[in-house]
Each structure stands twice: as structure tokens, then as C-alpha cells.
Amino acid sequence: MLYRTIARPILFRMDPERAHRLIVHGLGKAVRLPGVLPMMRSFWDVKPDPRLETELFGIRFRHPVGLAAGLDKDAVAVEGFAGMGLAFLEVGTVTPVGQPGNDRPRLFRLPDDEALINRMGFNNEGAEAMAARLARLRERRVPIAVNIGKNKATPNEKAPDDYRACLRVLYPYGDFFVVNISSPNTPDLRKLQHGEELKALLDAVHGEIAEQAARTGGAPKPVVVKLAPDMTEAELEQTVDILASGGVSGIIATNTTLSRDGLTHPNRMQQGGLSGRPLRERSTDVIRTIYRLTGGKLPIIGSGGIFDARDAYDKIRAGASLVEIYTSLIYKGPGVVRSIAAELSALLARDGFRRVGDAVGADHR
């Protein structure tokens, strides 16, 4: 309530990117102060609930709601976001070399539609800077997924080298890795979702993962691939077939969309990827299609338009084992995590599911 009545009106009077930076960097600094993290947890942490506990990729999650990539691009506020009750964090997208991203302004609110449009362009400080931050963490309360991409100046034929470079630097610090080939804001990146380019990229990523696993002496860490919501049915089928046969651990569905269907706010004309409530149905449809195409054998993380427990539950029943939020944090504040978790548990109980994993793909049965 305080977020909606006090904090959000102040933040929404600010430039969106300035507000974003203020929150993320402010959160990163605030948690260093004595007593701040315990206070945050008392406000927002999710109470233990066996019904919500789940396991994926051999990793335990307290509940299925995590943070999507893009909010904490440089792993500046990992401890702070973990203190908000999120069950896992996806940091990045990070590239081998730091880059400024696209020209400003590049982030736009659409309050009437509860949406955002961004054309950030993988602005980040680079893999070495992220690795240094993750190495300095005082504690790791939740699993961390590192989202990796290619530099804007890297042509697609050299893209596998960029993904390998990120893995070499960040492998010790991620619990699993997300291959981002679906942002609409890096030229030609989405072409990597198809055909021989996708196969070559997967070969490179798996090769690097195997090398790093051998070097560190552990089992290879999981790799998931993040897909766009804008593919045709035929394109999605081909891509999923390559991913399923290419040894990936799972798929994130979906990234932002280029569609502007149904929007009313004047910022709908801005270029970039759209996130938020308008993406809800399309991302759920993609989850449902991937689950059907794979027979439920390839784990899915659902992302796009999750504002309440019903949105999360729809994605879980469509086939998602975990879900991610981003835009709803901007519009509803950190209390949204605890609210989704509590109401999701009630929905599971209502429908007779003892564990959230039992509900995954229920609409297909």
C-alpha cells in the first residue's frame, strides 16, 4: 500500500531509467547497512510453504517465483532482491565487454496498459565486473541465473565466441545460465533462434560448459535458452525441436514482444520490446505450445505479464515449472512477491495439488 500511495507516484514522476537506476543501486547500497536486510525480510519475505517448494535442474527453490533478467543487469542488488522474497534471481543480460547500449531515452512506461517498452540494447558493465560483484556476495540465499548475450559489435558468425567468453568468466558464480538470443534490441540477435546458427551456438555453449565443468571438477551446470514470443507456430516448432535435441536443460518463455496489439497509451509508438500485462496471454500460449511439442519433457520457466497469482497459476498449468516477474514489481512494488506466493498456495490447495510440481502442465491432462 505504501508503495502505491507514496513511492510509486514519486518514482513515476522521474525519468524511467533514472528511477530504475536509483532503485537498483540504492537497494545495493542499503543492504550494507546494519539491520536493513532483516527489516526487508520481515516486510516481504515469503513464509516457508511445503506446497510451493520445488526442484528443477537439480536445484531447490523455496517457491516458483523469481526475478526476470533486465532489472539487475550488473548484479548490483542481488542480496536486496533476495531479501524481497524472490525464490531465484536472473541477472544480466551481460556481455563479454561492457557497452553503453542504445541512445537515451530508451525506457518508457505505459501506465494505462501496465506495461513497459525498452530498447536498452544490453547496456552493462561486462562479464568481469559482474563476476567481481558475485564473488563479493556475503551470502547467497537463492539460486542465481546468469543471463548472457553477445556484444552489439559482434557479428552473428562470431556470436558463439561471445557466449563462450561470458561462460569462462562467470561459470563459478551462476547456478544456471540463460542464453539470451531473443532480445529485439540488438541487431540480428533473434536470427540466432533458428537453424544452423542456433545449432552452432548450442554446440559452442555446451562445449564451454563441459570445459568449465571439467576444470572445476563438478557436474555441468544447466543451460536454458530464452525465446521470443513473436515467432510463428512453424518457427517455434523448428526452434523447439533443435533445442530439445541439442541438450539444453530448459526454455524461458518469453522475452519481450514487438507486438503493440490492444495498447492505449501514447508511448505505444516507441520502438523496443514490450513487457507487462499485455504480454500475459501470448507468453502463456507459447508455454502451452512448447509443453505440447516436447511432451512436457523439457522444463519451462514462464515469463511475461505476471501480476498476480492467477497469472502465475495459468502459466504453471500451461506447463511452466517456475515463473518470473519484472514489470509487476515496477507497478505493484515488492509486496507482489509475497502476495503471489500466498495466493498461489491457496489456488493449489483449492484444486487438490499437494505440491506446485503436481500442477505443472495440468491443462494438458
Side-chain angles (χ1 to χ4, degrees):
M1 180 64 71
L2 288 176
Y3 178 83
R4 289 194 183 188
T5 58
I6 299 175
R8 192 176 78 176
I10 294 172
L11 292 169
F12 274 39
R13 283 196 290 269
M14 298 171 61
D15 169 76
E17 188 168 351
R18 184 184 172 206
H20 181 162
R21 183 175 179 83
L22 176 67
I23 291 296
V24 174
H25 285 262
L27 186 59
K29 292 176 181 177
V31 296
R32 300 174 196 163
L33 300 174
V36 169
L37 266 176
M39 181 180 67
M40 290 177 59
R41 290 169 187 160
S42 69
F43 284 141
W44 299 314
D45 205 1
V46 174
K47 296 178 180 179
D49 184 343
R51 195 183 302 274
L52 295 178
E53 293 173 3
T54 191
E55 182 173 326
L56 197 67
F57 318 132
I59 301 170
R60 297 291 300 175
F61 299 86
R62 293 191 302 133
H63 60 82
V65 185
L67 180 70
L71 194 55
D72 194 357
K73 290 176 174 289
D74 292 303
V76 168
V78 167
E79 290 173 296
F81 281 117
M84 291 181 182
L86 291 151
F88 65 99
L89 309 175
E90 189 184 345
V91 296
T93 297
V94 64
T95 54
V97 179
Q99 59 183 25
N102 295 324
D103 293 338
R104 300 185 186 191
R106 54 193 181 181
L107 180 62
F108 307 89
R109 302 185 191 97
L110 292 77
D112 299 345
D113 304 298
E114 290 188 291
L116 299 172
I117 290 174
N118 92 83
R119 50 174 181 265
M120 306 297 284
F122 288 175
N123 58 306
N124 74 104
E125 296 175 7
E128 294 283 357
M130 179 182 283
R133 281 203 183 91
L134 292 175
R136 292 195 301 266
L137 287 177
R138 294 170 298 177
E139 63 175 359
R140 293 172 64 106
R141 295 189 76 236
V142 300
I144 296 173
V146 178
N147 183 303
I148 58 176
K150 78 174 188 73
N151 280 110
K152 183 177 181 179
T154 303
N156 275 12
E157 58 268 24
K158 298 288 186 180
D161 296 337
D162 275 15
Y163 289 89
R164 294 193 75 144
C166 287
L167 288 168
R168 278 194 295 273
V169 173
L170 288 158
Y171 189 82
Y173 308 109
D175 294 291
F176 62 104
F177 292 87
V178 180
V179 176
N180 189 347
I181 50 175
S182 51
S183 169
N185 302 316
T186 296
D188 295 328
L189 184 74
R190 287 188 169 190
K191 291 180 180 178
L192 295 174
Q193 295 180 118
H194 309 292
E196 295 304 317
E197 287 186 291
L198 177 56
K199 292 177 183 178
L201 178 60
L202 292 178
D203 287 344
V205 167
H206 287 307
E208 190 62 45
I209 288 283
E211 287 185 24
Q212 295 303 317
R215 183 179 64 81
T216 57
K221 293 183 179 181
V223 174
V224 302
V225 175
K226 193 166 198 171
L227 296 181
D230 302 318
M231 286 189 277
T232 66
E233 184 90 11
E235 288 172 336
L236 183 59
E237 184 170 355
Q238 181 194 53
T239 296
V240 169
D241 182 63
I242 293 172
L243 295 177
S245 61
V248 301
S249 304
I251 293 173
I252 297 182
T254 63
N255 211 319
T256 57
T257 181
L258 293 173
S259 172
R260 299 293 187 265
D261 292 348
L263 300 182
T264 60
H265 194 275
N267 280 339
R268 68 186 182 277
M269 305 308 296
Q270 294 291 341
Q271 292 183 331
L274 173 77
S275 65
R277 198 177 288 279
L279 184 56
R280 177 181 55 191
E281 296 302 324
R282 177 55 186 162
S283 63
T284 303
D285 287 344
V286 173
I287 291 165
R288 187 173 291 109
T289 299
I290 294 171
Y291 191 93
R292 174 177 56 79
L293 290 171
T294 62
K297 296 178 181 178
L298 191 61
I300 303 166
I301 299 175
S303 182
I306 297 173
F307 275 66
D308 56 36
R310 183 78 246 181
D311 300 333
Y313 192 43
D314 286 347
K315 283 177 167 50
I316 290 166
R317 291 186 62 102
S321 296
L322 300 171
V323 295
E324 295 180 334
I325 62 173
Y326 176 163
T327 307
S328 61
L329 273 174
I330 307 300
Y331 281 95
K332 302 185 76 170
V336 70
V337 183
R338 176 182 276 188
S339 174
I340 289 174
E343 293 169 17
L344 178 58
S345 183
L347 288 170
L348 292 166
R350 182 199 68 185
D351 292 345
F353 296 115
R354 297 184 61 188
R355 299 271 184 171
V356 64
D358 298 337
V360 174
D363 287 347
H364 299 264
R365 299 194 285 270

